[in-house]
Amino acid sequence: MTKAKMIVDKSYKIADIDERIYGSFIEHLGRAVYGGIFEPDHPDADEDGFRKDVLELVKELQVPIVRYPGGNMVSAYNWEDGIGPREDRPKRLELAWRVIETNAFGTNEFADWAKKANSEVMMAINLGTRGIDAARNFIEYTNHPGGTYWSDLRRKHGYEEPHKIKTWCLGNEMDGPWQVGQKTAYEYGRLASEAGKAMRLVDPDIELVSCGSSHTQMPTFPDWEAETLTHTYDVADYVSLHQYFGNRDNDSQNYLANGMELEHFISTVISVADYIKAKKRSKKTLMLSFDEWNVWYHSNDADKEIEPWTVALPQLEDHYNFEDALLVGSILITFLKHADRVKMACMAQLVNVIAPIMTDNLGASWKQTIFYPYMHASVFGRGVSLKPVVNSPKFDTKDFTDVDYLDTAVVFNEENEELTVFALNRHIKEDLVMEAQLGDFEGYRIQEHIVLEHDDLKAVNTATNHPVKPYRNGDAVYKDGVIETKLKKASWNVIRLKLINE
Ligand code: AHR
């Protein structure tokens, strides 16, 4: 059996973790809204038509921010269609996913839902078919107190107080040919900087996200970032990153090494952003918003069969297996390792559509495998991200070399006097001994060692069968300043310590 060692010290700090890295995403797509968070006929719906069972699961995840309303959908969306009396709202052809959008749910309903979910709203504007005018009117509607056309319209719609939406995405994946209103980097950069400028004139307190590449394999990556940021650097606070993964070749060892791809993506975007900073002699450092990430491939074939112009049929309904949960854990570990620059991230998406939560229409809701690492990171991963010095045995795969079997991040919560070690054993065949030497954590005791493991990497949770779930009595012990544990092959581990005053 192989052994990995690491050293952790309170003074080796990466950065304070911005809790918004545990964000998520709801798009008007498939059954994310209709049948997901909103289903007025469901026996468990509340007075607003929100599914209470789903809200409870979202609260378990402690999702601090949720992006809305898209996604691809936003690039041809008229936000005005989704406000005012429901009976007056138009049905539209929704071009991104080629369905019918009833607009029964819109901005105000989402703001209400987010409040009930204890989340903030991250709003995206349409820079595909629309531009500066629609954007400035939209933010006047949501954020201005009153006394003007759009803000008074909101008040007339029953919202006396502004929603005060702080975070705004300047469009979505505008480099992608699948986007309605795709732009060149120059076209996007100019439009986004002027739209952002107008929005900030309406509300100077907002934060803006400039749209980055849709993924690393885009032919325009990373020139897209260099050109667009040349225009948006001064107005934006963040640049976005999107990436989805899939075990398409059924090579699980290779699949679990994808954190390396993410590392490469993040460090490249940081380099480009810092290059623009240098070019502009700017004092501002741009932060990263990884506002779409997840596994997405299980549903690709089924989605090709969907007839156009349906309403809220299943789309992008990936049923996640155990190895997907491991990769999700690795992705979250990667964000923690980059806590100094990755300040927001959204698991795409939250309910039914490539999501940790699944529902049956008018029926049950349940936790997919990926729910667990997401919940553990969100609940226990708050505080300061520490930089462990890791010495792990390594492996090579088809796409990656020198990958550590031990993938780990460490979070210190000074206020609660808690230390949490997230540890993934990427070895799919062998257990791995982990020895973590802790500096300056006298009086700490292990509270629990949570383990997510399963013999079958392809095991899936369903409404009636839940084989993939964590247990709390892993074997970690803490003695003489060292945590020692045998990490099970292909396992996700959360080792939690707390200061005990005896
Ligand atoms: O999350 C699903 C889709 O993936 C989003 O609509 C789009 O932004 C991305 O391509």
Side-chain angles (χ1 to χ4, degrees):
M1 195 185 312
T2 46
K3 184 190 272 188
K5 291 185 167 192
M6 66 187 208
I7 299 171
V8 177
D9 196 284
K10 252 184 213 168
S11 54
Y12 301 172
K13 290 185 183 165
I14 299 172
D16 287 339
I17 296 159
D18 189 324
E19 63 173 26
R20 294 174 302 171
I21 64 168
Y22 307 119
S24 190
F25 178 27
I26 287 283
E27 179 168 1
H28 280 253
L29 160 57
R31 299 189 307 124
V33 173
Y34 307 109
I37 61 173
F38 178 69
E39 197 175 22
D41 297 336
H42 191 278
D44 212 11
D46 69 7
E47 64 288 356
D48 291 318
F50 305 152
R51 281 185 65 153
K52 285 188 280 181
D53 56 337
V54 172
L55 269 171
E56 284 315 306
L57 290 172
V58 174
K59 282 190 208 157
E60 256 188 76
L61 289 170
Q62 296 187 16
V63 184
I65 192 163
V66 185
R67 188 165 174 254
Y68 175 85
N72 296 340
M73 171 270 189
V74 81
S75 294
Y77 178 58
N78 297 338
W79 66 268
E80 302 89 333
D81 291 346
I83 56 170
R86 215 166 248 149
E87 58 280 11
D88 297 341
R89 298 187 193 174
K91 286 196 175 68
R92 299 269 188 207
L93 292 184
E94 195 291 288
L95 301 183
W97 304 102
R98 305 197 70 226
V99 293
I100 294 193
E101 172 57 56
T102 65
N103 285 304
F105 188 97
T107 298
N108 292 320
E109 289 82 21
F110 187 68
D112 288 342
W113 180 85
K115 208 175 278 167
K116 287 186 179 175
N118 303 326
S119 301
E120 258 181 63
V121 175
M122 179 192 286
M123 188 66 82
I125 60 160
N126 173 357
L127 289 185
T129 61
R130 306 188 83 187
I132 303 165
D133 216 32
R136 62 134 179 177
N137 294 343
F138 192 13
I139 193 166
E140 184 181 316
Y141 181 88
T142 59
N143 284 18
H144 194 69
T148 64
Y149 177 78
W150 291 107
S151 57
D152 285 346
L153 189 62
R154 182 200 67 240
R155 292 164 73 197
K156 197 171 142 202
H157 291 161
Y159 295 84
E160 182 60 31
E161 293 304 318
H163 296 308
K164 294 195 182 136
I165 296 169
K166 186 175 163 204
T167 314
W168 293 79
C169 301
L170 296 165
N172 177 71
E173 297 190 350
M174 298 306 305
D175 58 336
W178 57 88
Q179 214 66 220
V180 179
Q182 183 199 6
K183 306 266 181 297
T184 65
Y186 175 79
E187 287 165 347
Y188 171 74
R190 286 291 304 129
L191 180 61
S193 75
E194 289 303 317
K197 185 169 88 186
M199 291 166 77
R200 239 190 240 296
L201 286 169
V202 178
D203 183 351
D205 295 334
I206 56 172
E207 292 194 325
L208 293 168
V209 185
S210 184
C211 178
S213 293
S214 298
H215 51 80
T216 45
Q217 301 310 310
M218 293 301 290
T220 45
F221 174 74
D223 294 338
W224 173 272
E225 279 73 6
E227 173 73 35
T228 57
L229 290 179
T230 301
H231 305 284
T232 59
Y233 198 91
D234 293 335
V235 82
D237 305 284
Y238 307 87
V239 57
S240 73
L241 296 83
H242 291 181
Q243 189 83 16
Y244 294 96
F245 299 95
N247 187 4
R248 293 194 172 77
D249 311 330
N250 198 16
D251 178 346
S252 299
Q253 198 63 75
N254 187 55
Y255 181 54
L256 293 181
N258 265 305
M260 303 290 275
E261 173 72 6
L262 207 57
E263 283 283 346
H264 156 73
F265 193 9
I266 291 171
S267 53
T268 307
V269 173
I270 290 173
S271 311
V272 179
D274 290 351
Y275 161 68
I276 302 299
K277 174 182 180 180
K279 232 171 93 169
K280 288 185 169 285
R281 275 80 173 139
S282 174
K283 292 207 162 42
K284 178 171 83 180
T285 300
L286 207 71
M287 296 297 162
L288 275 51
S289 170
F290 216 115
D291 49 40
E292 281 188 37
W293 66 269
N294 206 346
V295 171
W296 174 15
Y297 76 109
H298 297 286
S299 59
N300 292 166
D301 288 339
D303 285 344
K304 288 184 192 131
E305 308 299 320
I306 292 172
E307 290 293 320
W309 317 131
T310 55
V311 178
L313 283 187
Q315 284 179 291
L316 281 65
E317 296 205 356
D318 272 37
H319 295 275
Y320 292 116
N321 59 32
F322 172 58
E323 67 183 7
D324 299 328
L326 297 176
L327 184 65
V328 160
S330 178
I331 293 170
L332 290 158
I333 283 175
T334 309
F335 294 155
L336 288 169
K337 285 183 194 163
H338 289 277
D340 53 336
R341 293 302 286 272
V342 178
K343 295 293 179 186
M344 297 193 284
C346 303
M347 176 187 261
Q349 299 190 9
L350 187 55
V351 186
N352 289 331
V353 172
I354 41 174
I357 299 168
M358 289 298 291
T359 71
D360 282 335
N361 285 352
L362 303 175
S365 51
W366 68 97
K367 298 171 181 172
Q368 295 235 55
T369 61
I370 62 170
F371 184 97
Y372 295 107
Y374 179 30
M375 176 182 72
H376 293 149
S378 176
V379 174
F380 304 123
R382 304 200 183 201
V384 175
S385 178
L386 298 181
K387 189 172 176 53
V389 181
V390 177
N391 183 356
S392 165
K394 297 179 192 299
F395 62 101
D396 294 341
T397 66
K398 181 168 70 63
D399 297 325
F400 307 101
T401 47
D402 286 339
V403 187
D404 283 350
Y405 278 118
L406 173 64
D407 195 10
T408 184
V410 183
V411 174
F412 176 46
N413 189 317
E414 194 158 17
E415 206 184 313
N416 297 346
E417 297 173 318
E418 282 176 5
L419 182 77
T420 301
V421 178
F422 297 103
L424 181 72
N425 177 7
R426 287 163 156 153
H427 204 312
I428 60 169
K429 295 210 172 102
E430 284 181 26
D431 296 349
L432 176 71
V433 172
M434 184 188 89
E435 267 181 27
Q437 195 187 314
L438 307 188
D440 215 8
F441 285 99
E442 224 148 276
Y444 278 69
R445 301 277 180 275
I446 291 187
Q447 294 302 291
E448 59 179 351
H449 173 183
I450 304 169
V451 184
L452 188 67
E453 59 157 333
H454 200 281
D455 275 345
D456 181 4
L457 288 170
K458 309 295 179 188
V460 169
N461 291 345
T462 66
T464 50
N465 189 19
H466 208 90
V468 182
K469 53 177 175 291
Y471 60 86
R472 300 178 61 182
N473 50 348
D475 72 352
V477 288
Y478 182 50
K479 216 176 130 219
D480 302 329
V482 178
I483 303 175
E484 195 169 329
T485 171
K486 190 167 73 182
L487 304 175
K488 296 287 171 71
K489 67 175 185 189
S491 66
W492 162 256
N493 300 265
V494 185
I495 303 167
R496 298 183 53 232
L497 293 89
K498 191 169 175 60
L499 179 66
I500 305 293
N501 295 309
E502 279 163 352

